[in-house]
């Protein structure tokens, strides 16, 4: 069955450092992969999308890589700030217009 | 603000009861998705509607049903509620062929 795995343990890092979150998947051939941010009690907010034929995508302090051979995506936040503290969800879909399959998320805590 | 609205924000009810959750998508979005988020399961896709028609079903129980109306708002009906139905329920909307989904603030359901 399809599985999407994210680091289950919370990630604690110091302000200014780079946070790296991992998303691994099995039994899946996604057309694209997305990263969402979710704050407690709120809905997920879209951050970045990367397609199966793309290796890397950047947006401001965010960078996503996608390795379809390893079936893995890495999500980096550079120069992290306390305001980046949240849960980050990885989501896959087989194509546009389809429902998203989410990992359980990784909680990030950035301390001053 | 994603532009997706959900009501009510909170709902407390008893086992065996029936509730209706409401979602209004972003202006121009034809697709509505419903997701359930519980602590142990993460975000799980329930059902998708596109322009009034059911398009896809996920892990939706038979006690749950949904519909999308001509004005594109959607309702999720949960009946014969059980304690285990306590969760956050999110709806998301997307444009035709859209890859990114925009999530509402969610409805927190507590079944006592």
């Amino acid at each position: 069955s399809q599985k999407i795995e994210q680091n289950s343990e919370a990630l604690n890092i110091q302000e200014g450092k780079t946070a790296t979150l991992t998303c691994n998947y099995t039994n899946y051939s996604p057309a694209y992969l997305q990263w969402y941010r979710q704050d407690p009690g709120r809905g997920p907010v879209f951050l970045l999308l990367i397609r199966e034929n793309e290796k890397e995508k950047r947006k401001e302090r965010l960078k996503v890589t996608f390795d379809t051979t390893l079936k893995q995506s890495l999500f980096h936040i550079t120069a992290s700030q306390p305001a980046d503290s949240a849960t980050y969800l990885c989501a896959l879909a087989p194509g546009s217009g389809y429902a998203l399959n989410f990992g359980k998320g990784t909680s990030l805590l950035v301390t001053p | 603000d994603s532009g997706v609205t959900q009501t009510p924000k909170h709902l407390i009810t008893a086992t065996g009861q029936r509730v209706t959750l409401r979602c209004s998508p972003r202006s121009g979005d034809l697709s509505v998705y419903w997701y359930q988020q519980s602590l142990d399961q993460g975000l799980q896709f329930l059902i998708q509607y596109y322009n009034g028609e059911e398009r896809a079903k996920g892990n939706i129980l038979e006690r749950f049903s949904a519909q999308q109306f001509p004005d594109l708002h959607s309702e999720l009906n949960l009946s014969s509620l059980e304690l285990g139905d306590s969760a956050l329920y999110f709806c998301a909307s997307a444009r035709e062929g859209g890859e990114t989904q925009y999530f509402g603030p969610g409805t927190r359901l507590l079944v006592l």
Side-chain angles (χ1 to χ4, degrees):
Chain A
S1 62
Q2 296 169 351
K3 222 182 238 188
I4 302 169
E5 291 179 337
Q6 298 185 247
N7 319 62
S8 56
E9 288 183 20
L11 181 62
N12 293 340
I13 65 165
Q14 205 172 12
E15 184 176 9
K17 302 289 186 188
T18 296
T20 298
L21 286 67
T22 305
C23 175
N24 294 297
Y25 59 93
T26 55
N27 299 323
Y28 208 115
S29 295
Y32 54 86
L33 185 148
Q34 301 184 40
W35 284 87
Y36 285 77
R37 168 186 172 139
Q38 186 174 26
D39 291 284
R42 293 179 169 259
V45 175
F46 170 75
L47 296 175
L48 275 171
L49 178 152
I50 186 163
R51 293 188 172 77
E52 58 179 333
N53 59 351
E54 297 175 319
K55 296 289 184 193
E56 184 179 297
K57 211 75 170 286
R58 290 174 187 261
K59 179 182 172 185
E60 298 171 354
R61 295 183 296 112
L62 308 180
K63 183 178 91 171
V64 174
T65 62
F66 195 12
D67 188 326
T68 55
T69 302
L70 287 180
K71 296 186 182 296
Q72 181 182 77
S73 174
L74 298 178
F75 177 76
H76 307 272
I77 305 175
T78 57
S80 59
Q81 304 165 359
D84 295 325
S85 299
T87 295
Y88 291 85
L89 304 166
C90 128
L92 283 69
S96 60
Y98 285 83
L100 296 172
N101 288 296
F102 283 90
K104 290 189 179 179
T106 298
S107 176
L108 172 66
L109 179 62
V110 181
T111 51
Chain B
D1 183 1
S2 67
V4 178
T5 60
Q6 287 187 251
T7 56
K9 203 171 174 59
H10 301 279
L11 202 46
I12 302 175
T13 189
T15 54
Q17 294 298 304
R18 173 189 167 95
V19 297
T20 296
L21 313 183
R22 183 186 167 107
C23 166
S24 291
R26 292 188 322 156
S27 176
D29 286 359
L30 299 179
S31 275
V32 169
Y33 303 80
W34 285 97
Y35 294 86
Q36 178 193 57
Q37 187 174 40
S38 56
L39 278 172
D40 55 342
Q41 291 293 325
L43 262 168
Q44 299 280 314
F45 167 63
L46 295 177
I47 195 163
Q48 177 195 2
Y49 276 81
Y50 175 80
N51 202 21
E53 301 286 326
E54 181 185 302
R55 175 156 288 188
K57 266 185 172 177
N59 302 320
I60 189 165
L61 300 170
E62 283 193 19
R63 300 184 284 110
F64 296 0
S65 65
Q67 53 184 326
Q68 187 179 28
F69 295 86
D71 67 352
L72 300 178
H73 91 270
S74 178
E75 292 181 355
L76 179 68
N77 302 296
L78 314 176
S79 60
S80 302
L81 285 167
E82 301 175 0
L83 296 178
D85 297 327
S86 297
L88 270 166
Y89 291 84
F90 291 103
C91 86
S93 73
R95 303 222 179 278
E96 181 180 1
E99 295 161 330
T100 301
Q101 294 181 19
Y102 296 88
F103 283 77
T107 293
R108 184 177 292 277
L109 173 67
L110 182 58
V111 182
L112 299 174

